[in-house]
Amino acid sequence: MASQNHPPDQTTPGVTDRYARPLQDLRISLTDRCNFRCTYCMPRELFGSEHLFLPRRELLDFEEIERLARIAAGLGVTKLRLTGGEPLLRRDIDVLIARLAAIDGIDDICLTTNGSLLTEQRARELKAAGVNRVTLSLDAIDDDVFKAINDVGYPASKVLTAIDNAKAAGLTPVKVNCVIQRGVNEDQILPMAEYFRHSDVVLRFIEFMDVGTSNGWRMEEVVPAREIVETIRTRHAISRLPANVPGETANRWVYDDGAGEIGIIASVSQPFCGGCTRARLSAIGELYTCLFGVHGRDLRTPLRSGASDDELRALLSGIWAARDDRYSEQRGEETANRRGDADGKVEMSYIGG
Ligand code: SAM
Ligand code: SF4
Ligand code: SF4
């Protein structure tokens, strides 16, 4: 199978899937709720006041999340990413983080957030609880463009403050995710690049992906990585760097003049399924082995009906061992004839980005 990155590290103990990819990262969605309505993720027409979000009792509680994370760690997971929805909406998240940080084998805890709740104090509390790094999402530097994307009138300037708060708290290196959509914000590529030069923040441009079914994705709206690189090169010389770690999602680039690094996540134009070591746990305890999954495997029922750790471990490792997902590569192979089963794919806000 083609891969733009190094093959997975075969020396890691634990479970591997049908393409010999080890299970190393677990992305945990803490909630399906969000205080933004980004037009490409939770469009207002579908996530309006009548939308039924999950009731609290449906969500995995902290004990259940910790238990699954511990079992996953025993199977080779070393990295956890907390996401959503908006993860900082989950009450007492610090308590959960402290429990996750204490798990043997977990050496990296990251959080992806829209930054709206990341005050100076919150950033310090997250660091103290055990978060190593945060990724903030910011799709435009221009307030008007950003407000139109998040659709709740939230200004970019406030996310920039949250980024500073994260840096001050030592949640570093801070990364910034910027999803580029043609006709929406491709004019923000250069201003965003300009703002984050010499900042120690790693800006990552992300190709707009066909996750879920609610964002009306069309290939024409994808600005491919090549075009993003060309745009940056109209103003600055940049060179490609080798991957930091096997299975890294972003192509790494560096400014030749020493102004820092940028990443490009080319999931559509250069799929990286070959190095994909990620599983995703939805807020209600379904395990997805691919971002483009249609059905997750229910772990909450066995959790709540008395399954032992050994039984849960066998379940999890069986799911991973049977995994043969390579959706993005298949999409690339079949662009002329998009997969019929694409409808019904789970939403990004539901299983977490
Ligand atoms: N609410 C948090 C945030 O926005 O950072 C965490 C959850 S959000 C689903 C995680 C990331 O997924 C964000 O950076 C968002 O921009 C990205 N994302 C959502 N839909 C996407 C899509 N269709 N294509 C590419 N990235 C997407
Ligand atoms: Fe919320 Fe993040 Fe989705 Fe925007 S991208 S709607 S902030 S979950
Ligand atoms: Fe991993 Fe699925 Fe994305 Fe491929 S399409 S990189 S298998 S999540």
Side-chain angles (χ1 to χ4, degrees):
M1 157 170 56
S3 170
Q4 300 300 318
N5 294 310
H6 299 310
D9 176 3
Q10 300 297 319
T11 58
T12 311
V15 61
T16 52
D17 71 6
R18 284 163 65 177
Y19 291 113
R21 297 169 295 188
L23 171 60
Q24 291 176 329
D25 313 56
L26 183 63
R27 299 192 173 200
I28 304 173
S29 174
L30 297 181
T31 176
D32 60 332
R33 289 166 203 256
C34 188
N35 52 349
F36 284 13
R37 285 292 173 274
C38 300
T39 48
Y40 59 83
C41 180
M42 294 178 74
R44 199 169 272 290
E45 314 80 79
L46 297 174
F47 294 87
S49 51
E50 66 299 337
H51 179 78
L52 290 177
F53 287 100
L54 296 165
R56 199 176 164 78
R57 66 176 181 283
E58 295 271 328
L59 305 183
L60 292 188
D61 64 25
F62 290 173
E63 205 170 306
E64 291 167 331
I65 294 172
E66 181 196 348
R67 190 160 170 226
L68 288 178
R70 187 182 304 279
I71 287 167
L75 292 171
V77 166
T78 57
K79 176 175 164 185
L80 300 177
R81 177 171 294 278
L82 305 179
T83 178
E86 175 45 47
L88 294 182
L89 288 176
R90 184 84 188 242
R91 221 177 305 149
D92 298 325
I93 186 180
D94 313 49
V95 174
L96 172 68
I97 290 162
R99 292 171 76 152
L100 295 175
I103 296 175
D104 258 357
I106 297 300
D107 57 28
D108 197 15
I109 300 184
C110 320
L111 180 118
T112 305
T113 174
N114 62 26
S116 59
L117 300 168
L118 196 63
T119 58
E120 248 179 275
Q121 187 186 336
R122 205 83 194 79
R124 279 198 303 268
E125 287 165 357
L126 291 172
K127 179 72 185 178
V131 174
N132 300 99
R133 304 177 284 125
V134 290
T135 298
L136 287 105
S137 303
L138 178 64
D139 299 323
I141 206 90
D142 178 278
D143 271 345
D144 291 335
V145 179
F146 187 56
K147 284 177 181 175
I149 295 173
N150 63 56
D151 208 13
V152 292
Y154 200 81
S157 49
K158 286 197 174 178
V159 182
L160 297 176
T161 304
I163 291 168
D164 291 340
N165 295 342
K167 280 171 71 174
L171 293 165
T172 50
V174 174
K175 292 182 181 169
V176 169
N177 279 354
C178 178
V179 177
I180 299 294
Q181 260 180 293
R182 193 175 302 287
V184 175
N185 65 341
E186 78 259 56
D187 64 342
Q188 295 296 301
I189 296 172
L190 278 175
M192 285 286 289
E194 228 39 85
Y195 183 89
F196 290 106
R197 277 167 51 81
H198 299 289
S199 69
D200 291 336
V201 168
V202 181
L203 172 62
R204 294 148 20 122
F205 292 109
I206 303 183
E207 289 179 349
F208 177 42
M209 290 186 282
D210 51 332
V211 256
T213 54
S214 60
N215 63 18
W217 184 90
R218 288 179 306 127
M219 187 59 104
E220 299 79 69
E221 290 168 323
V222 178
V223 178
R226 179 185 29 79
E227 196 177 321
I228 296 172
V229 169
E230 278 162 16
T231 305
I232 298 168
R233 281 186 165 155
T234 59
R235 196 155 317 153
H236 300 287
I238 54 172
S239 306
R240 184 80 185 261
L241 286 175
N244 255 337
V245 286
E248 195 163 61
T249 49
N251 296 337
R252 298 171 62 218
W253 294 80
V254 67
Y255 290 104
D256 292 355
D257 64 2
E261 192 178 319
I262 42 181
I264 303 188
I265 304 186
S267 350
V268 179
S269 68
Q270 300 162 31
F272 38 77
C273 301
C276 181
T277 56
R278 288 174 292 282
R280 292 176 159 83
L281 186 64
S282 78
I284 61 166
E286 301 149 320
L287 191 78
Y288 287 84
T289 54
C290 179
L291 178 55
F292 299 91
V294 176
H295 303 291
R297 289 286 295 273
D298 173 24
L299 301 182
R300 191 184 60 181
T301 302
L303 261 177
R304 293 189 178 173
S305 51
S308 67
D309 280 2
D310 282 347
E311 284 164 343
L312 288 170
R313 190 173 303 110
L315 183 59
L316 216 81
S317 79
I319 294 169
W320 191 263
R323 174 189 194 238
D324 62 357
D325 302 288
R326 45 187 291 273
Y327 177 87
S328 288
E329 288 186 352
Q330 284 167 334
R331 181 218 299 109
E333 289 158 13
E334 298 170 18
T335 33
N337 176 22
R338 282 198 61 210
R339 279 170 24 148
D341 64 358
D343 293 340
K345 286 178 311 193
V346 66
E347 301 297 335
M348 181 87 118
S349 59
Y350 183 81
I351 58 166

